[in-house]
Coordinates of all heavy atoms in Angstrom, one line a residue:
M28 N 65.8 88.1 110.3 CA 65.0 87.6 109.2 C 64.0 86.5 109.7 O 64.5 85.6 110.4 CB 65.9 87.0 108.1 CG 65.2 86.7 106.8 SD 66.3 86.1 105.6 CE 65.6 84.5 105.2
V29 N 62.8 86.6 109.4 CA 61.8 85.6 109.8 C 61.7 84.5 108.8 O 61.5 84.7 107.6 CB 60.4 86.2 110.0 CG1 59.5 85.1 110.5 CG2 60.5 87.3 111.0
R30 N 62.0 83.3 109.2 CA 61.9 82.1 108.3 C 60.5 81.5 108.4 O 60.0 81.3 109.4 CB 63.0 81.1 108.6 CG 64.4 81.6 108.3 CD 65.4 80.5 108.5 NE 65.3 79.6 107.3 CZ 66.0 78.5 107.2 NH1 66.9 78.2 108.2 NH2 66.0 77.7 106.2
K31 N 60.0 81.2 107.2 CA 58.7 80.5 107.2 C 58.9 79.0 107.7 O 59.9 78.4 107.3 CB 58.2 80.4 105.8 CG 57.2 81.6 105.5 CD 56.5 81.3 104.2 CE 55.8 82.5 103.7 NZ 55.3 82.4 102.3
K32 N 58.0 78.6 108.4 CA 58.0 77.2 108.9 C 57.8 76.3 107.6 O 56.9 76.5 106.9 CB 56.9 76.9 109.9 CG 57.4 76.6 111.2 CD 56.3 76.1 112.1 CE 56.8 75.9 113.5 NZ 55.7 75.6 114.4
K33 N 58.7 75.3 107.5 CA 58.5 74.4 106.4 C 57.5 73.4 106.7 O 57.5 72.7 107.8 CB 59.8 73.8 106.1 CG 60.0 73.6 104.6 CD 61.4 72.9 104.3 CE 61.4 72.6 102.8 NZ 62.4 71.6 102.5
I34 N 56.5 73.2 105.8 CA 55.5 72.2 106.1 C 56.0 70.9 105.5 O 56.4 70.8 104.4 CB 54.2 72.6 105.3 CG1 53.7 73.9 105.8 CG2 53.1 71.5 105.6 CD1 52.6 74.5 105.0
P35 N 56.0 69.9 106.4 CA 56.5 68.5 105.9 C 55.5 68.0 104.9 O 54.3 67.9 105.1 CB 56.5 67.7 107.2 CG 55.9 68.4 108.3 CD 55.6 69.8 107.8
M36 N 56.0 67.6 103.7 CA 55.2 67.1 102.6 C 55.5 65.6 102.4 O 56.6 65.1 102.6 CB 55.5 67.8 101.3 CG 55.4 69.3 101.4 SD 53.7 69.9 101.4 CE 53.4 69.9 99.7
R37 N 54.5 64.9 102.0 CA 54.6 63.5 101.7 C 53.9 63.2 100.4 O 52.9 63.8 100.1 CB 54.0 62.6 102.9 CG 54.8 62.7 104.2 CD 56.1 62.1 104.1 NE 56.9 62.1 105.3 CZ 57.6 63.1 105.7 NH1 57.7 64.2 105.0 NH2 58.3 63.0 106.9
K38 N 54.4 62.1 99.8 CA 53.8 61.8 98.5 C 52.7 60.7 98.7 O 52.9 59.7 99.4 CB 54.9 61.3 97.6 CG 54.5 61.2 96.1 CD 55.7 61.1 95.3 CE 55.6 60.0 94.3 NZ 56.8 59.9 93.5
C39 N 51.6 60.9 98.0 CA 50.5 59.9 98.0 C 50.8 58.8 97.1 O 51.3 59.0 96.0 CB 49.2 60.6 97.6 SG 47.9 59.5 97.3
L40 N 50.6 57.6 97.5 CA 50.8 56.4 96.7 C 49.7 56.2 95.6 O 49.9 55.4 94.7 CB 50.9 55.1 97.6 CG 52.1 55.0 98.5 CD1 52.0 53.7 99.2 CD2 53.4 55.1 97.7
G41 N 48.6 56.9 95.8 CA 47.6 56.8 94.8 C 47.8 57.8 93.6 O 48.0 57.4 92.5
C42 N 47.7 59.1 93.9 CA 47.8 60.1 92.9 C 49.2 60.6 92.6 O 49.5 61.4 91.7 CB 46.9 61.3 93.2 SG 47.3 62.1 94.7
N43 N 50.2 60.2 93.5 CA 51.6 60.6 93.4 C 51.8 62.1 93.6 O 52.8 62.7 93.1 CB 52.1 60.2 92.0 CG 52.6 58.8 92.0 OD1 53.1 58.3 93.0 ND2 52.3 58.1 90.9
E44 N 50.9 62.7 94.2 CA 51.0 64.2 94.5 C 51.6 64.4 95.9 O 51.3 63.6 96.8 CB 49.7 64.9 94.3 CG 49.5 65.3 92.9 CD 48.1 65.9 92.7 OE1 47.7 66.7 93.5 OE2 47.5 65.6 91.6
M45 N 52.3 65.5 96.0 CA 52.8 65.8 97.3 C 51.8 66.6 98.1 O 51.2 67.6 97.5 CB 54.1 66.7 97.2 CG 55.2 66.0 96.5 SD 56.0 64.6 97.4 CE 56.9 65.6 98.6
R46 N 51.6 66.3 99.3 CA 50.6 67.0 100.1 C 51.2 67.2 101.5 O 52.0 66.4 102.0 CB 49.3 66.2 100.3 CG 48.4 66.3 99.1 CD 47.4 65.2 99.2 NE 46.2 65.4 98.5 CZ 45.1 66.1 99.0 NH1 45.1 66.5 100.2 NH2 44.0 66.2 98.2
P47 N 50.6 68.1 102.3 CA 51.1 68.3 103.7 C 50.8 67.0 104.5 O 49.8 66.4 104.4 CB 50.2 69.4 104.2 CG 49.8 70.2 103.1 CD 49.7 69.2 101.9
K48 N 51.9 66.6 105.2 CA 51.8 65.3 105.9 C 50.6 65.2 106.8 O 50.0 64.1 106.9 CB 53.1 65.3 106.8 CG 53.4 64.0 107.4 CD 54.7 64.2 108.2 CE 54.8 63.1 109.3 NZ 55.9 63.4 110.2
K49 N 50.2 66.3 107.4 CA 49.1 66.2 108.4 C 47.7 66.0 107.7 O 46.8 65.6 108.3 CB 49.0 67.4 109.3 CG 48.8 68.7 108.5 CD 48.8 69.9 109.5 CE 48.6 71.1 108.7 NZ 48.7 72.3 109.5
E50 N 47.7 66.2 106.4 CA 46.4 65.9 105.6 C 46.4 64.5 105.1 O 45.4 64.1 104.5 CB 46.3 66.9 104.4 CG 46.1 68.3 104.9 CD 46.0 69.3 103.7 OE1 45.9 68.8 102.5 OE2 46.1 70.5 103.9
M51 N 47.4 63.8 105.3 CA 47.5 62.5 104.7 C 47.1 61.4 105.7 O 47.2 61.6 106.9 CB 48.9 62.1 104.2 CG 49.5 63.2 103.4 SD 48.9 63.2 101.7 CE 49.7 61.7 101.1
M52 N 46.8 60.2 105.2 CA 46.6 59.1 106.1 C 47.9 58.3 106.0 O 48.3 57.9 105.0 CB 45.4 58.3 105.5 CG 45.1 57.0 106.3 SD 43.6 56.2 105.7 CE 44.1 55.5 104.1
R53 N 48.4 58.0 107.2 CA 49.6 57.2 107.2 C 49.3 55.8 107.5 O 48.6 55.5 108.5 CB 50.6 57.7 108.3 CG 51.9 57.0 108.4 CD 52.9 57.7 109.2 NE 54.2 57.0 109.1 CZ 54.8 56.3 110.1 NH1 54.3 56.3 111.3 NH2 56.0 55.8 109.9
V54 N 49.8 54.9 106.7 CA 49.6 53.5 106.9 C 51.0 52.9 107.4 O 52.0 53.3 106.8 CB 49.2 52.7 105.6 CG1 48.8 51.3 105.9 CG2 47.9 53.4 105.1
V55 N 51.0 52.2 108.5 CA 52.2 51.8 109.0 C 52.3 50.3 109.3 O 51.3 49.7 109.6 CB 52.5 52.6 110.4 CG1 51.5 52.2 111.4 CG2 53.9 52.4 110.8
R56 N 53.4 49.7 109.0 CA 53.7 48.4 109.4 C 54.5 48.4 110.7 O 55.7 48.9 110.7 CB 54.4 47.6 108.3 CG 54.5 46.1 108.6 CD 55.5 45.4 107.7 NE 56.8 45.8 108.1 CZ 57.9 45.5 107.4 NH1 57.8 44.8 106.3 NH2 59.1 45.9 107.8
T57 N 54.0 47.9 111.8 CA 54.7 48.0 113.0 C 55.9 47.0 113.1 O 55.9 46.1 112.3 CB 53.7 47.7 114.2 OG1 53.3 46.3 114.1 CG2 52.5 48.6 114.2
P58 N 56.8 47.2 114.0 CA 57.9 46.2 114.1 C 57.4 44.8 114.4 O 58.1 43.9 114.0 CB 58.7 46.8 115.3 CG 58.4 48.2 115.4 CD 56.9 48.3 114.9
E59 N 56.2 44.7 114.9 CA 55.6 43.3 115.1 C 55.0 42.7 113.8 O 54.6 41.6 113.8 CB 54.5 43.4 116.1 CG 54.9 43.7 117.6 CD 55.2 45.2 117.8 OE1 54.4 46.0 117.2 OE2 56.1 45.5 118.5
G60 N 55.0 43.6 112.8 CA 54.5 43.1 111.5 C 53.0 43.3 111.3 O 52.4 42.8 110.3
N61 N 52.3 44.1 112.1 CA 50.9 44.4 111.9 C 50.8 45.7 111.1 O 51.6 46.6 111.2 CB 50.2 44.7 113.3 CG 50.3 43.5 114.2 OD1 50.0 42.3 113.8 ND2 50.7 43.7 115.4
V62 N 49.8 45.7 110.2 CA 49.6 46.9 109.4 C 48.4 47.6 110.0 O 47.3 47.0 110.3 CB 49.3 46.5 108.0 CG1 48.9 47.8 107.2 CG2 50.5 45.8 107.4
S63 N 48.5 48.9 110.2 CA 47.4 49.6 110.8 C 47.5 51.1 110.3 O 48.5 51.5 109.7 CB 47.4 49.6 112.3 OG 48.5 50.1 112.8
I64 N 46.5 51.9 110.7 CA 46.5 53.3 110.4 C 47.2 54.0 111.5 O 46.8 53.8 112.7 CB 45.1 53.8 110.2 CG1 44.4 53.0 109.1 CG2 45.1 55.3 109.8 CD1 42.9 53.3 109.0
D65 N 48.1 54.9 111.2 CA 48.8 55.6 112.2 C 48.1 57.0 112.4 O 48.4 57.9 111.6 CB 50.3 55.8 111.8 CG 51.0 56.6 112.8 OD1 50.5 56.8 113.9 OD2 52.1 57.0 112.5
L66 N 47.2 57.1 113.3 CA 46.4 58.3 113.4 C 47.2 59.5 113.9 O 46.9 60.6 113.5 CB 45.2 58.1 114.3 CG 44.2 57.0 113.8 CD1 43.2 56.7 114.9 CD2 43.5 57.5 112.6
K67 N 48.2 59.3 114.7 CA 49.0 60.4 115.2 C 50.2 60.7 114.4 O 50.9 61.7 114.6 CB 49.3 60.2 116.7 CG 48.1 60.3 117.5 CD 48.4 60.0 119.0 CE 47.2 60.1 119.8 NZ 47.3 59.4 121.1
G68 N 50.5 59.8 113.4 CA 51.7 60.0 112.6 C 53.0 59.8 113.4 O 54.0 60.2 112.9
K69 N 52.9 59.1 114.5 CA 54.1 58.9 115.3 C 54.5 57.5 115.5 O 55.5 57.2 116.3 CB 54.0 59.7 116.6 CG 54.1 61.2 116.4 CD 53.9 61.9 117.7 CE 54.0 63.4 117.5 NZ 53.5 64.2 118.6
A70 N 53.7 56.6 115.0 CA 54.0 55.2 115.3 C 55.3 54.8 114.6 O 55.7 55.2 113.6 CB 52.8 54.3 114.7
S71 N 56.0 53.9 115.3 CA 57.3 53.4 114.7 C 57.0 52.3 113.7 O 55.9 51.7 113.7 CB 58.2 53.0 115.8 OG 57.6 51.9 116.5
G72 N 57.9 52.1 112.9 CA 57.7 51.1 111.8 C 57.8 51.8 110.5 O 58.0 53.0 110.3
R73 N 57.6 50.9 109.5 CA 57.7 51.4 108.1 C 56.4 52.0 107.7 O 55.3 51.4 107.9 CB 58.1 50.2 107.2 CG 58.2 50.6 105.8 CD 58.5 49.3 105.0 NE 60.0 49.1 105.0 CZ 60.8 49.6 104.0 NH1 60.2 50.2 103.0 NH2 62.0 49.4 104.0
G74 N 56.3 53.2 107.2 CA 55.1 53.8 106.9 C 55.0 54.3 105.5 O 56.0 54.5 104.8
C75 N 53.8 54.6 105.0 CA 53.5 55.2 103.7 C 52.3 56.1 103.8 O 51.5 56.0 104.8 CB 53.4 54.1 102.6 SG 51.9 53.1 102.8
Y76 N 52.1 56.9 102.8 CA 51.1 57.9 102.9 C 50.1 57.8 101.7 O 50.5 57.6 100.6 CB 51.7 59.3 103.0 CG 52.4 59.5 104.2 CD1 53.7 59.1 104.3 CD2 51.8 60.2 105.3 CE1 54.5 59.3 105.5 CE2 52.5 60.4 106.5 CZ 53.8 60.0 106.6 OH 54.5 60.2 107.7
V77 N 48.8 58.0 102.0 CA 47.8 58.0 101.0 C 46.9 59.2 101.3 O 46.6 59.4 102.5 CB 47.0 56.7 100.9 CG1 46.0 56.7 99.8 CG2 47.9 55.5 100.7
C78 N 46.3 59.9 100.3 CA 45.3 60.9 100.6 C 44.1 60.2 101.2 O 43.8 59.1 100.8 CB 44.8 61.6 99.3 SG 46.1 62.3 98.3
P79 N 43.5 60.9 102.1 CA 42.3 60.2 102.7 C 41.1 60.3 101.8 O 40.0 60.9 102.1 CB 42.1 61.1 104.0 CG 42.7 62.4 103.7 CD 43.7 62.2 102.7
N80 N 41.2 59.6 100.7 CA 40.0 59.4 99.8 C 40.1 58.1 99.1 O 41.1 57.5 98.9 CB 39.8 60.6 98.9 CG 40.9 60.7 97.8 OD1 41.1 59.7 97.1 ND2 41.6 61.8 97.8
I81 N 38.9 57.6 98.8 CA 38.8 56.2 98.3 C 39.5 56.1 96.9 O 40.1 55.1 96.7 CB 37.3 55.9 98.1 CG1 36.6 55.8 99.5 CG2 37.1 54.5 97.4 CD1 37.1 54.6 100.4
E82 N 39.4 57.1 96.1 CA 40.1 57.0 94.8 C 41.6 56.7 94.9 O 42.1 55.8 94.3 CB 39.9 58.3 94.0 CG 38.5 58.6 93.5 CD 37.6 59.1 94.6 OE1 38.1 59.9 95.4 OE2 36.5 58.7 94.7
C83 N 42.2 57.5 95.8 CA 43.7 57.3 96.0 C 43.9 56.0 96.7 O 44.9 55.3 96.3 CB 44.2 58.4 96.8 SG 44.4 60.0 95.9
L84 N 43.1 55.6 97.6 CA 43.3 54.3 98.3 C 43.2 53.2 97.3 O 44.0 52.3 97.2 CB 42.3 54.1 99.4 CG 42.4 52.8 100.1 CD1 43.6 52.6 100.9 CD2 41.2 52.6 101.0
D85 N 42.2 53.2 96.4 CA 42.0 52.2 95.4 C 43.2 52.1 94.5 O 43.6 51.0 94.1 CB 40.7 52.4 94.6 CG 39.5 51.9 95.4 OD1 39.7 51.2 96.4 OD2 38.4 52.2 95.0
K86 N 43.6 53.2 94.0 CA 44.8 53.3 93.1 C 46.0 52.7 93.8 O 46.7 51.8 93.2 CB 45.1 54.7 92.7 CG 44.3 55.2 91.5 CD 45.0 56.5 91.0 CE 44.0 57.3 90.2 NZ 44.4 58.7 90.1
A87 N 46.2 53.1 95.0 CA 47.4 52.6 95.7 C 47.3 51.1 96.0 O 48.3 50.4 95.9 CB 47.5 53.3 97.0
L88 N 46.1 50.6 96.2 CA 45.9 49.2 96.5 C 46.0 48.4 95.2 O 46.6 47.3 95.1 CB 44.5 48.9 97.1 CG 44.4 49.3 98.6 CD1 42.9 49.2 99.0 CD2 45.2 48.5 99.5
K89 N 45.4 48.9 94.1 CA 45.4 48.2 92.8 C 46.8 48.0 92.3 O 47.2 46.9 91.8 CB 44.6 48.9 91.8 CG 43.2 48.4 91.7 CD 42.4 49.1 90.6 CE 40.9 48.9 90.8 NZ 40.2 49.9 90.0
G90 N 47.6 49.0 92.4 CA 49.0 48.9 92.0 C 49.9 48.2 92.9 O 51.1 48.2 92.7
K91 N 49.3 47.7 94.0 CA 50.1 47.0 95.1 C 51.2 48.0 95.6 O 52.2 47.5 96.0 CB 50.7 45.7 94.6 CG 49.7 44.7 94.1 CD 50.0 43.3 94.6 CE 49.0 42.3 94.2 NZ 48.1 41.9 95.3
R92 N 50.9 49.2 95.5 CA 52.0 50.2 96.0 C 52.1 50.2 97.5 O 53.2 50.4 98.0 CB 51.6 51.6 95.5 CG 51.7 51.7 94.0 CD 51.3 53.1 93.5 NE 50.8 53.1 92.1 CZ 50.0 53.9 91.6 NH1 49.6 55.0 92.3 NH2 49.7 53.9 90.3
I93 N 51.0 50.0 98.2 CA 51.1 50.0 99.6 C 51.9 48.8 100.1 O 52.8 48.8 100.9 CB 49.7 50.0 100.3 CG1 49.0 51.3 100.0 CG2 49.8 49.8 101.8 CD1 47.6 51.5 100.6
E94 N 51.6 47.6 99.4 CA 52.2 46.4 99.7 C 53.7 46.5 99.5 O 54.5 46.1 100.3 CB 51.7 45.2 98.9 CG 50.3 44.9 99.3 CD 49.8 43.6 98.6 OE1 49.9 43.6 97.4 OE2 49.2 42.8 99.3
S95 N 54.1 47.1 98.4 CA 55.6 47.2 98.1 C 56.2 48.2 99.0 O 57.3 48.1 99.4 CB 55.9 47.4 96.7 OG 55.0 48.3 96.1
A96 N 55.5 49.3 99.3 CA 56.1 50.3 100.2 C 56.3 49.7 101.6 O 57.3 50.0 102.3 CB 55.1 51.5 100.3
L97 N 55.3 48.9 102.1 CA 55.5 48.4 103.4 C 56.1 47.0 103.4 O 56.4 46.5 104.5 CB 54.1 48.3 104.1 CG 53.3 49.6 104.2 CD1 52.0 49.3 105.0 CD2 54.1 50.6 105.0
E98 N 56.4 46.5 102.3 CA 57.0 45.2 102.1 C 56.3 44.1 102.9 O 56.8 43.3 103.7 CB 58.5 45.2 102.6 CG 59.3 46.1 101.6 CD 60.7 46.3 102.1 OE1 61.0 45.9 103.2 OE2 61.6 46.7 101.3
T99 N 54.9 44.1 102.8 CA 54.1 43.1 103.4 C 52.8 43.0 102.7 O 52.5 43.8 101.8 CB 53.8 43.5 104.9 OG1 53.2 42.5 105.6 CG2 52.9 44.8 105.0
E100 N 52.1 41.9 103.0 CA 50.8 41.7 102.3 C 49.7 42.5 103.0 O 49.7 42.7 104.2 CB 50.4 40.2 102.4 CG 51.0 39.5 101.2 CD 50.6 38.0 101.2 OE1 49.4 37.7 101.7 OE2 51.4 37.2 100.8
I101 N 48.8 43.0 102.2 CA 47.7 43.8 102.7 C 46.4 42.9 102.5 O 46.0 42.6 101.4 CB 47.5 45.1 101.9 CG1 48.7 46.0 102.0 CG2 46.3 45.9 102.5 CD1 49.1 46.5 103.3
N102 N 45.8 42.4 103.6 CA 44.7 41.5 103.5 C 43.4 42.3 103.5 O 43.3 43.5 103.7 CB 44.7 40.4 104.5 CG 44.6 41.0 105.9 OD1 44.0 42.0 106.2 ND2 45.3 40.3 106.9
E103 N 42.3 41.6 103.3 CA 41.0 42.2 103.2 C 40.6 43.0 104.5 O 40.0 44.0 104.4 CB 39.9 41.1 102.9 CG 39.9 40.6 101.5 CD 39.6 41.7 100.5 OE1 38.8 42.5 100.8 OE2 40.2 41.6 99.4
D104 N 41.0 42.5 105.6 CA 40.7 43.1 106.9 C 41.3 44.5 106.9 O 40.7 45.5 107.3 CB 41.2 42.3 108.1 CG 40.5 41.0 108.3 OD1 39.4 40.9 107.7 OD2 40.9 40.2 109.1
I105 N 42.5 44.6 106.5 CA 43.2 45.9 106.5 C 42.6 46.8 105.5 O 42.3 48.0 105.8 CB 44.7 45.7 106.2 CG1 45.4 44.9 107.3 CG2 45.4 47.1 106.1 CD1 46.7 44.3 106.9
I106 N 42.2 46.3 104.3 CA 41.6 47.1 103.3 C 40.3 47.7 103.8 O 40.0 48.9 103.7 CB 41.4 46.3 102.0 CG1 42.7 46.0 101.4 CG2 40.5 47.1 101.0 CD1 42.7 45.0 100.2
S107 N 39.5 46.9 104.5 CA 38.2 47.4 105.0 C 38.4 48.4 106.1 O 37.7 49.4 106.3 CB 37.2 46.3 105.4 OG 37.8 45.2 105.9
L108 N 39.5 48.2 106.9 CA 39.8 49.1 107.9 C 40.2 50.5 107.3 O 39.7 51.5 107.8 CB 41.0 48.6 108.7 CG 41.4 49.3 110.0 CD1 40.6 48.9 111.2 CD2 42.9 49.1 110.3
L109 N 41.0 50.5 106.3 CA 41.4 51.7 105.6 C 40.1 52.4 105.0 O 40.0 53.6 105.2 CB 42.4 51.4 104.5 CG 43.7 50.9 105.0 CD1 44.6 50.5 103.8 CD2 44.5 51.8 105.9
R110 N 39.3 51.6 104.4 CA 38.1 52.2 103.7 C 37.2 52.8 104.8 O 36.7 53.9 104.6 CB 37.3 51.1 103.0 CG 37.9 50.8 101.7 CD 37.0 49.7 101.0 NE 37.7 49.2 99.9 CZ 37.5 49.7 98.7 NH1 36.7 50.7 98.5 NH2 38.1 49.2 97.6
E111 N 37.0 52.1 105.9 CA 36.1 52.6 106.9 C 36.6 53.9 107.5 O 35.9 54.9 107.8 CB 36.0 51.6 108.1 CG 34.7 50.8 108.0 CD 34.7 49.7 109.0 OE1 35.0 49.9 110.1 OE2 34.4 48.5 108.5
H112 N 38.0 53.9 107.7 CA 38.6 55.1 108.2 C 38.3 56.3 107.3 O 38.0 57.4 107.8 CB 40.1 54.9 108.4 CG 40.8 56.1 108.8 ND1 40.8 56.6 110.1 CD2 41.6 57.0 108.2 CE1 41.5 57.7 110.2 NE2 42.0 58.0 109.1
I113 N 38.5 56.1 106.0 CA 38.2 57.2 105.1 C 36.8 57.6 105.1 O 36.5 58.8 105.1 CB 38.7 56.8 103.7 CG1 40.2 56.7 103.6 CG2 38.2 57.8 102.6 CD1 40.8 56.1 102.4
L114 N 35.9 56.7 105.1 CA 34.5 57.0 105.0 C 34.0 57.7 106.3 O 33.2 58.6 106.2 CB 33.6 55.7 104.8 CG 33.8 55.0 103.5 CD1 33.1 53.7 103.4 CD2 33.4 56.0 102.3
N115 N 34.6 57.3 107.4 CA 34.2 58.0 108.7 C 34.8 59.4 108.9 O 34.3 60.1 109.7 CB 34.6 57.1 109.9 CG 33.8 55.8 109.9 OD1 32.7 55.7 109.4 ND2 34.4 54.8 110.5
N116 N 35.8 59.6 108.1 CA 36.5 60.9 108.3 C 36.4 61.9 107.1 O 36.8 63.0 107.2 CB 38.0 60.7 108.6 CG 38.2 60.1 110.0 OD1 38.3 60.8 111.0 ND2 38.3 58.8 110.0
G117 N 35.8 61.4 106.1 CA 35.7 62.2 104.9 C 34.5 63.0 104.8 O 33.8 63.6 105.3
Ligands
ZN16 ZN1 46.3 61.0 96.5

């Protein structure tokens, strides 16, 4: 019997929908306490997922969902980094 490969799904903090992990943007807090975008999805640390679009990012930021998921503060620098990433890749 051939088993289908299971696609890893993750929930977006903006729209709360499950999507394939590889389509999501992973935001990670490294063990050093820095927040950054995990482009390869393999960085260690506490991570969360958002769809790569501004609407979902804004929702996730407004509800402070990224902050509570990562248990850290998200400052303006990080927000513009995330926005730029989405704009450059969308
Ligand atoms: Zn979303």
Side-chain angles (χ1 to χ4, degrees):
M28 194 177 120
V29 182
R30 292 188 74 183
K31 267 192 191 171
K32 245 192 189 173
K33 216 180 172 198
I34 302 166
M36 304 287 276
R37 291 294 181 273
K38 195 161 129 182
C39 168
L40 290 181
C42 60
N43 279 321
E44 274 176 41
M45 300 290 286
R46 281 165 158 270
K48 190 179 159 190
K49 61 179 178 187
E50 289 177 16
M51 312 282 291
M52 176 172 74
R53 182 170 188 244
V54 186
V55 67
R56 189 194 70 188
T57 66
E59 293 79 37
N61 301 312
V62 177
S63 63
I64 303 168
D65 178 14
L66 295 173
K67 288 178 182 161
K69 284 177 182 167
S71 62
R73 179 179 273 268
C75 66
Y76 293 83
V77 181
C78 303
N80 66 58
I81 293 293
E82 291 79 38
C83 285
L84 177 66
D85 278 350
K86 272 191 204 167
L88 288 170
K89 265 187 200 160
K91 299 221 177 258
R92 293 178 202 156
I93 296 181
E94 291 186 312
S95 37
L97 300 184
E98 295 176 346
T99 189
E100 273 183 33
I101 305 291
N102 62 31
E103 287 297 323
D104 289 348
I105 298 162
I106 293 172
S107 34
L108 187 83
L109 296 174
R110 281 179 190 273
E111 260 170 49
H112 176 78
I113 289 171
L114 294 174
N115 292 336
N116 290 276

